Amino acid sequence: MLASTAGSGNSEDLSIADAVARLSGAERTATPAAPVRDVLGDTDIALAYAVQQELARRRESGGAVPVGRKIGLTSPAVQRQMGVDQPDFGVLFADMDVSGRAEIPSGRLLQPRVEAEIAFVLAEDLADGELDVARVRTAVDHAVPALEIVDSRIAGWDIAITDTIADNASSGLFVLADRRFSLDEFEPREATMRLYADGELVSEGDGTACLGDPLAALAWLARTARSFGDPLRAGQIVLSGALGPLVPASPGMSFRAEIDPLGEVTATFS
């Protein structure tokens, strides 16, 4: 997991403990909590990632298995929706993968929203050297269309950047399609996306919405993860970021994303 980024001062330790208690309590009671920026501040990114790290450590100690990362807040439209101005990342765990299920378990979610994106699966570690777009391209084994079901333990999605980072980048669940594509078969930045909710078009965009290129988002994550002491590894899944605005989801709703040329990915909420 991530190397510790916060200092060891008592005030920082108390801030981390307070934020962890608030977010873990929201998860345990299924009741969204007040924002944690009152104890972390609006801009202390390192402190927010220290909270994320501690929550992830607790999850792992309970038996959860990390399988990759998600990149959040890559789309200008989503940044405007969320009121933030930079990307972040979170940890994906195996029990977040609900691919192939007949229904998405709504009972596991508090305030779900859906976004369509490209998921990469890595064939190589991204730990050394110049981690630019050319390098990360060679490390990708395949890509698939994906739906990320983001969620927030913060009441009303009232988040600043430190709130969402601490809350594992507002992670929830994710769905991967079956058909795999190599990067010889398509160019991620040229992919187009349409997202439908109960048959109605609710979001659209393309690969340039994701930091200009989903591979640029992957390169950003590779550099950032390495700087935190936990580089990306072969076999990991990376959700590269939204290709368009995210959409609120309610029990019973069905979503279908068309990501050309990759095909469709669907999800129906219980």
Side-chain angles (χ1 to χ4, degrees), residues 62-85:
V65 178
V67 294
R69 307 285 174 80
K70 64 150 286 183
I71 314 172
L73 305 171
T74 54
S75 161
V78 172
Q79 289 183 0
R80 289 191 295 271
Q81 280 183 295
M82 297 292 98
V84 299
D85 62 0

Side-chain angles (χ1 to χ4, degrees), residues 19-36 52 55 59 70 90-91 96 108-112 148-159 163-173:
V20 166
R22 192 175 302 178
L23 291 169
S24 59
E27 182 85 21
R28 184 178 63 255
T29 63
T31 303
V36 293
Q52 181 188 123
L55 288 167
R59 193 163 179 170
K70 64 150 286 183
V91 182
M96 295 165 61
R108 288 180 57 182
L109 301 161
L110 299 180
Q111 307 171 95
E148 184 183 0
I149 300 146
V150 295
D151 200 9
S152 181
R153 272 53 62 178
I154 304 296
W157 280 90
D158 177 15
I159 59 171
D163 295 301
T164 185
I165 289 173
D167 190 23
N168 198 27
S170 301
S171 296
L173 306 172

Side-chain angles (χ1 to χ4, degrees), residues 23-24 68 73 137 155 191 193 196 238 247 254-255:
L23 291 169
S24 59
L73 305 171
R137 181 188 292 272
M193 180 279 294
Y196 298 85
V238 175
V247 180
S254 292
F255 289 83

Side-chain angles (χ1 to χ4, degrees), residues 214-267:
L215 289 173
L218 177 58
W220 172 85
L221 174 63
R223 293 189 298 270
T224 306
R226 183 175 65 181
S227 74
F228 277 83
D230 191 18
L232 299 178
R233 298 297 184 186
Q236 289 186 329
I237 301 163
V238 175
L239 300 180
S240 62
L243 301 178
L246 45 77
V247 180
S250 301
M253 291 182 72
S254 292
F255 289 83
R256 174 173 57 89
E258 299 173 350
I259 302 179
D260 185 48
L262 302 182
E264 296 185 353
V265 57
T266 63

Side-chain angles (χ1 to χ4, degrees), residues 118 137 186-192 206-210 212-215:
I118 296 170
R137 181 188 292 272
F186 83 110
E187 188 60 48
R189 72 182 308 274
E190 296 175 0
T192 59
D206 58 41
T208 63
C210 182
D213 183 344
L215 289 173

Side-chain angles (χ1 to χ4, degrees), residues 16 28 45 54 119 126 136 147 173 176 178 204 209 215 233:
I16 293 168
R28 184 178 63 255
I45 302 300
E54 175 58 19
L126 286 170
V136 301
L147 291 174
L173 306 172
L176 305 179
D178 291 331
E204 56 186 325
L215 289 173
R233 298 297 184 186

